[in-house]
Amino acid sequence: SYGIAIGKVFLLENPDFVLNNSDQVLEIEREKEIEKFQLAIEKTKESVRRSYEKINKALGQSYAKIADAHMMMLEDPMMKTSVLKMIEKGSKAEYAVYKTMSNILEAFSKMKDGYFRERSNDIRDLCQELIFNLLGKKRNSLANLPKDSIVVSHNLTAADTALMKEKTAQGFAIDIGGKTSHVALVANGLGIPAVSGLQNVSKNVKTGDTIILDGINGLVIINPDAQTIKKYEAQLQAWLEQKRQLISLAHLPSQTLDGQKVFLLANIDSPDEVKTVLENGAQGIGLYRSEFIYFHRSSWPTPKEHFEAYYKVVTQMQGKPVVIRTVDLGGDKLSNVLIEKIGYEQNPFLGLRAIRLCLKYPDMFEAQLLGLLQASAFGKIDILYPMISGLEQLQQASEILDKAKEKLRAKKIPFDENIKVGAMIEIPAAVMISDALAKHVDFFSIGTNDLIQYSIATDRGNESVADLYNPLHPAILKLIKITIDSANQAKIPVAMCGQMASNPLYTKILLGLGLKEFSVAKEQIPLIKKVIRETKVSDAKELAQKVLACQYQDEILELLSMDEIKESNK
Ligand code: PEP
Ligand code: MG
């Protein structure tokens, strides 16, 4: 997590358990042991509930979902069955938990997928907490954290991390974890520097040591000399100044050096994020992913539940536009109800995902559209359909939308009669028919996250093929250009809400390809605005022309970096 901190260490010790099976329980004591295990599960659930509340308070619901995942693991029948079986064979509860969790951890650590490997930290956290509860011990806590300390630990729970802001920690360094670990996500959300994956930092410091936390380069310096401290103090000031400057841009116009207005919007996953969106100066919300409403429940959400979530966002946005994407479940976004209905698919990214799922379950889809329409009476809402690959899907979706509108009219419930409807362009087939699609929708939004994975045939979450997942692949740039040209020809707006739009390295080339609407991660808004304000569209167009003529990705990279060097020499 980006940033620099200089301060005193607060070492949070997290002992690693190594238990053995030497203490066997007698048969008559086994019932008691099972009871002890069940009590410990309940106690741990209670603390997970408390951490949900803490994270929810500090960061909002979307981060608090981390606690939901912990809750699901505690309720996992396979874990419970294994522990109970071992107790029945004579093991103590703590050993049965230790052994079961160690087996699960081993299986996770062998997984190829980085995301799953990261999840082993969650399991380790839970295992420790469960064993503490079984042994009736108290875990070290951050309650006594001195102001402005830097926390060092083997690992941290996401809830610990959420507490840091409240306890005014400057940042933290931990032995394990990678960029996508939950603690890293929470640290990012809090905007505090952090370094993870240091392997043995917790063994090399003691409370009270001076430490420099360099979240820019991913390193820590323990007990640095005076000269190093001086150097880092200067870097710290520069970083703080950069932050101040960026935030001071938040409310300046989003336009290029040669005066072209660029619409700068934010992506959100839950209503709790709106406050930061406004503080960072977004002109609206360009992508509101609605999946969170579908998670951790036993039936599809009702129109009322949809309405309440959307109402909360549009009213806070005070008339600024909000693009709400209809649900994109499937692929890597699974929910209990979905699994119950369709089970696990062999190839979920090519399966019953997003609009395909909605058209298969029209009642579920209609419930969302009813909620959306009702909320449209309270602010400016546009509807966005994900994963459109053909005109037929658009037609079927608009029939369901028309039916929902009819129902509301019959009940005299107000909604925006002119509500706009757009299509995500994130499948190569959609790009190739974008000229036809453009005649049937009010706007496009380019989803590069999926467009790249489907065009280059690279799983967006698989680190083994991460080198192939390249937004600057000549094919991707051409697909973007075709989409923008189709939209321009039909005179409809086109935005980009995929992650590519959030990366300042690509801002100029996207401007050059003719993009005028960027919907970006909320923290990136000031930085993207900075690049927009420093770019001339005429230069960007020239660059885009050269880039489109390239056949190799390296040529493109070279052109982009040469361009940056030329800029910095000016
Ligand atoms: C995309 O695919 O670029 C996109 C914005 O959608 P998601 O990341 O939710 O699939
Ligand atoms: Mg997508």
Side-chain angles (χ1 to χ4, degrees), residues 267 287 289 291 325 328 333 353 424 426 446-451 460 497-499:
N267 294 348
L287 172 66
R289 291 181 170 99
E291 290 76 63
R325 186 176 71 184
D328 180 8
K333 298 173 197 140
R353 191 187 154 186
M424 288 280 294
E426 50 186 344
I446 306 175
T448 47
N449 306 344
D450 279 312
L451 186 59
R460 61 195 260 187
C497 63
Q499 201 59 25

Side-chain angles (χ1 to χ4, degrees), residues 86-106:
M86 288 184 70
I87 296 177
E88 261 147 31
K89 282 189 186 153
S91 293
K92 291 201 90 158
E94 50 270 28
Y95 179 75
V97 168
Y98 169 73
K99 189 69 194 156
T100 302
M101 294 293 224
S102 305
N103 289 343
I104 302 176
L105 270 174
E106 201 185 320

